Amino acid sequence: MRILLWHVHGSWTTAFAQGPHTCLVPVTPDRGPDGLGRAATFDWPESVVELPPERLRETDVDLLILQRPHEFELARQWLGRRPGPDVPTVYLEHNAPGGPVPDTRHPAADRPGVTIVHVTHFNRLMWDCGPAPTAVVEHGIVDPGPLWTGGLERAAVVVNEPLRRGRTTGTDLLGYFSGAAPLDVFGMRTEHLAEHLGLAEERCRGQELTQSRLHRALAERRVYLHPVRWTSLGLSLLEAMHLGMPVVALATTEVAEAVPAGAGVVSNRLDVLHDAVRGFIAEPESARETGRAARAAALARYGLARFLDDWDRLLKEVTR
């Protein structure tokens, strides 16, 4: 199929683009939010094709994957066709609801001919999708391999824009966890994180890396820390598990499903998580065995082949 989707979530698109379809990605001269085009920090195959908006009306598009509410209007303007009635459409919802839970109405709930696809069962449970057909396609990961060495006695955290997102991503908890182990926080706009949190640079370092460099950097750290209160299921958590890292995470949203017993420590008691981070730092063999279990669990549930098969079945149903 020829599928039109915007570059919104680079890691998810990296996995989806491994399938058999051609992904048409809008690109604008300024490469702004509605026209980022191909990713500079992700390794995408040649089947991801940039197209300027003015060429979309003359382009055959078999299906739309929308990811933001205003893309309904963008697609109508740029394609000259209505998402749903005129072209098969999936609304891919990456996030847990951000409004009053569980009464937040999904922006695609009342759009005719649109299937809402969630990335976790928790998200489908919490969003009010009204009469819209819904489905869940859990994440899939391009396996980076069992790269974990754990040679650095530090904990890794991955979060984009931690200061802006604040309590949502557990930024306020980083100072507490830095007492259990020095932290390396990877992601966009993390450079001055320690200064803003009032921490010594050695206890909380920030850095933004490309995906391939990020995987190797994560694998050098002893343990992965996931202090997120309220997002969907972070792909960085699943990537860390694929790397063979032991994980320590808040038991929120879908995390308890994703990290089974033996693959890490999951709790909403901060003292339990603090002690777990300290324990993995002190006991590298325990970290190694836990990381092996984490990798096995991630491969079994979030493998790329299952992800692509699930999407192929769904797309055939939607276009039928």
Side-chain angles (χ1 to χ4, degrees):
M1 298 183 190
R2 293 168 63 82
I3 299 172
L4 175 65
L5 72 159
W6 275 262
H7 173 188
V8 173
H9 195 306
S11 294
W12 181 89
T13 307
T14 298
F16 184 78
Q18 308 306 311
H21 310 292
T22 298
C23 297
L24 306 174
V25 181
V27 62
T28 54
D30 64 349
R31 293 190 177 266
D34 292 330
L36 282 172
R38 287 177 59 91
T41 56
F42 294 91
D43 185 15
W44 287 357
E46 293 183 2
S47 58
V48 181
V49 179
E50 291 184 341
L51 277 180
E54 58 270 19
R55 287 185 53 193
L56 288 176
R57 283 180 180 252
E58 61 191 45
T59 301
D60 291 331
V61 174
D62 299 309
L63 182 131
L64 295 175
I65 295 181
L66 307 182
Q67 300 167 79
R68 299 168 297 176
H70 74 277
E71 290 176 3
F72 282 101
E73 182 59 21
L74 273 182
R76 189 192 66 80
Q77 291 178 1
W78 291 1
L79 281 173
R81 284 169 277 173
R82 296 170 298 166
D86 298 335
V87 57
T89 300
V90 163
Y91 191 105
L92 173 60
E93 180 52 71
H94 293 284
N95 301 312
V101 178
D103 298 318
T104 305
R105 188 78 163 182
H106 195 277
D110 302 298
R111 297 276 187 168
V114 175
T115 298
I116 302 172
V117 180
H118 299 279
V119 297
T120 72
H121 292 276
F122 179 90
N123 288 0
R124 179 162 69 171
L125 176 68
M126 289 301 176
W127 277 107
D128 174 8
C129 292
T134 63
V136 176
V137 178
E138 293 188 309
H139 285 304
I141 301 294
V142 179
D143 183 14
L147 303 180
W148 182 86
T149 61
L152 297 180
E153 296 181 353
R154 302 181 67 88
V157 181
V158 177
V159 59
N160 288 322
E161 301 187 76
L163 294 174
R164 179 183 66 83
R165 298 169 73 189
R167 286 177 55 84
T168 297
T169 52
T171 305
D172 60 303
L173 303 177
L174 296 180
Y176 174 73
F177 284 114
S178 72
L183 308 178
D184 286 323
V185 184
F186 300 97
M188 294 187 293
R189 299 181 183 173
T190 57
E191 296 84 357
H192 305 292
L193 181 59
E195 177 184 348
H196 284 278
L197 295 178
L199 300 174
E201 186 70 24
E202 174 58 23
R203 302 306 297 181
C204 184
R205 303 186 304 208
Q207 189 177 10
E208 180 180 358
L209 299 174
T210 62
Q211 190 179 43
S212 60
R213 292 179 62 203
L214 173 62
H215 288 158
R216 296 195 176 277
L218 290 176
E220 294 173 347
R221 275 68 187 171
R222 181 70 51 84
V223 59
Y224 183 82
L225 172 65
H226 192 67
V228 178
R229 282 190 177 90
W230 187 258
T231 67
S232 192
L233 181 59
L235 280 171
S236 57
L237 172 67
L238 303 181
E239 289 169 348
M241 293 172 69
H242 272 77
L243 291 167
M245 299 186 73
V247 296
V248 174
L250 288 176
T252 54
T253 62
E254 192 85 350
V255 171
E257 289 277 338
V259 185
V265 177
V266 176
S267 176
N268 286 326
R269 288 185 52 178
L270 295 182
D271 59 330
V272 170
L273 300 182
H274 186 280
D275 290 347
V277 170
R278 177 172 287 177
F280 285 129
I281 294 293
E283 300 175 15
E285 282 307 311
S286 172
R288 183 181 304 279
E289 290 305 311
T290 304
R292 285 174 178 164
R295 175 169 167 78
L299 287 172
R301 182 162 184 170
Y302 300 103
L304 185 64
R306 189 276 309 156
F307 171 80
L308 296 176
D309 286 347
D310 286 355
W311 267 105
D312 280 351
R313 282 194 294 271
L314 176 72
L315 297 180
K316 288 175 182 176
E317 292 174 7
V318 170
T319 54
R320 185 183 301 126

